[in-house]
Amino acid sequence: MTATRVLVLNSGSSSVKYQLLDMGDGSRLAAGLVERIGERTSRLKHSPLAAGGDERETTGPIADHEAALKAVAQELAEDGLGLDSPELAAIGHRVVHGGKRFTRPTVVDDAVLAEIERLIPVAPLHNPANLTGIRTAQELRPDLPQVAVFDTAFHTTMPEAAARYAIDVETADKHRVRRYGFHGTSHAYVSREAARLLGRDPGDVNLIVLHLGNGASASAVEGGRCVDTSMGLTPLEGLVMGTRSGDVDPAVIFHLARVGGMSTDEIDTLLNKRSGLVGLCGDNDMREIRRRIDEGGEDAARARLAFDIYIHRLRKYIGAYYAVLGRVDAVVFTAGVGENSAPVREAAVAGLEGLGLAVDDGLNAARSGGPRLISPPDARVAVAVVPTDEELEIANQTYALVRDGGA
Ligand code: AMP
């Protein structure tokens, strides 16, 4: 029997998301999420996609990631998809920070684990959880290849001119301060799918990819290679996000410390958790913000301001990446906001006919689960909506590596 199944694990600090896919026929066998790990009210939601039946939800304390993965394994076993199955080819792990070294998916060994650990200072929130997920999976199936798929990998092709901050070189190198970029798995998947939608070879097209979810990033992709992206040393730089500020003058931080008396940790929390849309208007969900604007009245003003700031920043990045690329074949929207919010897409390119950019109102308003063009048929630059699928991309990369003998 050929092993064709891949389990994809995305381990956060207090959550684990998972999907089991069969790469033989591309089907999704099961998916789910464990939340609030370490609390008394942990919750496991499991969708038995292949086995059929309703989503199962269990609540109760799940102490740590090991207990969480064991609970997931049990749910899968109930569907006849246990982790002991010989059909399981590998486990693919999302790892947020791969630094400069990891330019592609990598089979995990002790040296790889040590390097992911060495990168904790530049990804203190994410890499420790990712490591725990890998180590726990290794304990459950020590014989199976564990593959790390890095959020930063797609961006390692950025030229130095885009990847370096203009600060003292020795200090930057000593502390590994440079622009790494994130959401790379999504940008890679969406770029390829966008080229397919255009009926072109990925190597022949230049794209501006806008991943607009709760976190948000833009990238400039030239012939399938990333040449610039909006997130930097950490996922804080760039676009306005659900709770993150994106770009600010770095002196804002000194000012808040010196004049506002805030500690570094307080400023970190402010910029990462209490800024962006939520800081501007109290809501980080674009649906809610649009509802407030559409209903009008007093409550609408702050929502409108938040929307305008979000769009202003987005348009600045579209313009910047247009200049970085020189020639643009398509602007591509993806992730929660990008896939679902017609008003955001419309406002992002409004008045940019001079750059060849426009959306067709009917196409933009239509809802569809698949990749689609929303620009008028005669547009010089295509505007597209391409749903992202990071789990599928992680599974594809994991399976390709294992099948081709990388393991
Ligand atoms: P993601 O991080 O990709 O899961 O995106 C989550 C975000 O997508 C939410 O916080 C919302 O702002 C946004 N979103 C999801 N569904 C919609 C929708 N139907 N319309 C507008 N925004 C949406």
Side-chain angles (χ1 to χ4, degrees):
M1 182 195 307
T2 330
T4 53
R5 290 180 188 162
V6 174
L7 177 67
V8 175
L9 291 180
N10 180 353
S11 306
S13 54
S14 65
S15 69
V16 176
K17 285 190 214 149
Y18 62 94
Q19 277 195 19
L20 182 66
L21 296 98
D22 192 320
M23 307 318 289
D25 59 10
S27 62
R28 245 168 266 252
L29 304 173
L33 165 70
V34 189
E35 291 173 294
R36 300 201 286 267
I37 295 171
E39 294 179 33
R40 292 161 59 93
T41 56
S42 315
R43 182 167 62 180
L44 194 164
K45 280 199 228 168
H46 177 85
S47 299
L49 304 172
D54 293 335
E55 183 181 88
R56 300 196 289 271
E57 188 171 319
T58 355
T59 45
I62 296 180
D64 51 26
H65 280 73
E66 187 178 339
L69 271 194
K70 285 189 174 147
V72 169
Q74 205 170 338
E75 290 291 339
L76 290 168
E78 256 183 60
D79 297 344
L81 301 166
L83 291 193
D84 51 357
S85 163
E87 288 176 71
L88 193 59
I91 302 183
H93 299 265
R94 175 184 182 216
V95 179
V96 167
H97 216 308
K100 269 172 87 171
R101 153 122 177 248
F102 294 113
T103 58
R104 47 176 48 100
T106 306
V107 175
V108 173
D109 58 18
D110 287 347
V112 170
L113 283 176
E115 183 63 17
I116 297 172
E117 193 156 10
R118 218 167 64 84
L119 288 162
I120 287 176
V122 283
L125 296 180
H126 295 102
N127 275 27
N130 301 157
L131 272 172
T132 309
I134 297 174
R135 291 198 172 111
T136 310
Q138 279 179 325
E139 280 164 29
L140 286 177
R141 277 296 302 267
D143 56 314
L144 213 58
Q146 312 281 336
V147 176
V149 179
F150 299 92
D151 262 23
T152 44
F154 183 63
H155 305 302
T156 53
T157 51
M158 276 196 288
E160 284 295 283
R164 276 205 178 266
Y165 293 108
I167 62 175
D168 172 70
V169 171
E170 278 78 37
T171 307
D173 288 351
K174 181 171 171 205
H175 298 291
R176 281 179 286 174
V177 173
R178 61 188 278 118
R179 309 190 58 255
Y180 295 98
F182 298 88
H183 290 148
T185 309
S186 175
H187 285 283
Y189 175 82
V190 167
S191 313
R192 251 195 351 266
E193 289 301 306
R196 194 203 303 265
L197 176 70
L198 298 174
R200 309 260 302 268
D201 188 284
D204 294 336
V205 289
N206 288 356
L207 305 168
I208 297 173
V209 179
L210 304 169
H211 176 112
L212 309 178
N214 200 28
S217 63
S219 63
V221 182
E222 187 176 56
R225 291 163 63 86
C226 177
V227 291
D228 204 352
T229 195
S230 60
M231 285 176 166
L233 173 75
T234 76
L236 181 56
E237 190 180 341
L239 300 174
V240 176
M241 312 183 209
T243 66
R244 290 173 231 157
S245 61
D247 297 334
V248 293
D249 179 346
V252 166
I253 296 160
F254 318 140
H255 180 79
L256 291 175
R258 291 184 189 129
V259 179
M262 293 174 75
S263 69
T264 315
D265 284 349
E266 284 170 340
I267 301 170
D268 190 328
T269 304
L270 173 81
L271 296 181
N272 274 296
K273 306 244 167 81
R274 295 199 289 119
S275 295
L277 294 171
V278 86
L280 289 166
C281 75
D283 275 311
N284 64 340
D285 192 313
M286 191 53 80
R287 283 166 287 202
E288 200 51 28
I289 291 169
R290 287 306 312 177
R291 187 192 60 73
R292 284 168 61 182
I293 295 171
D294 292 343
E295 283 180 4
E298 242 172 67
D299 193 39
R302 277 181 67 194
R304 164 54 71 186
L305 179 64
F307 184 82
D308 289 348
I309 295 170
Y310 182 95
I311 295 296
H312 181 79
R313 184 84 50 84
L314 189 56
R315 289 165 65 87
K316 274 170 72 165
Y317 271 92
I318 293 172
Y321 288 173
Y322 212 115
V324 166
L325 291 167
R327 186 202 88 221
V328 176
D329 297 293
V331 172
V332 190
F333 289 89
T334 193
V337 177
E339 290 167 31
N340 295 298
S341 180
V344 165
R345 296 190 298 255
E346 184 192 342
V349 300
L352 298 184
E353 291 82 5
L355 297 178
L357 284 167
V359 297
D360 174 282
D361 290 343
L363 293 174
N364 188 31
R367 299 194 69 83
S368 151
R372 66 189 200 278
L373 291 173
I374 57 169
S375 42
D378 57 350
R380 198 148 46 83
V381 178
V383 181
V385 178
V386 175
T388 192
D389 195 335
E390 290 171 270
E391 286 77 17
L392 177 60
E393 180 68 15
I394 292 172
N396 275 332
Q397 293 193 12
T398 299
Y399 190 59
L401 187 62
V402 173
R403 191 194 45 202
D404 298 344

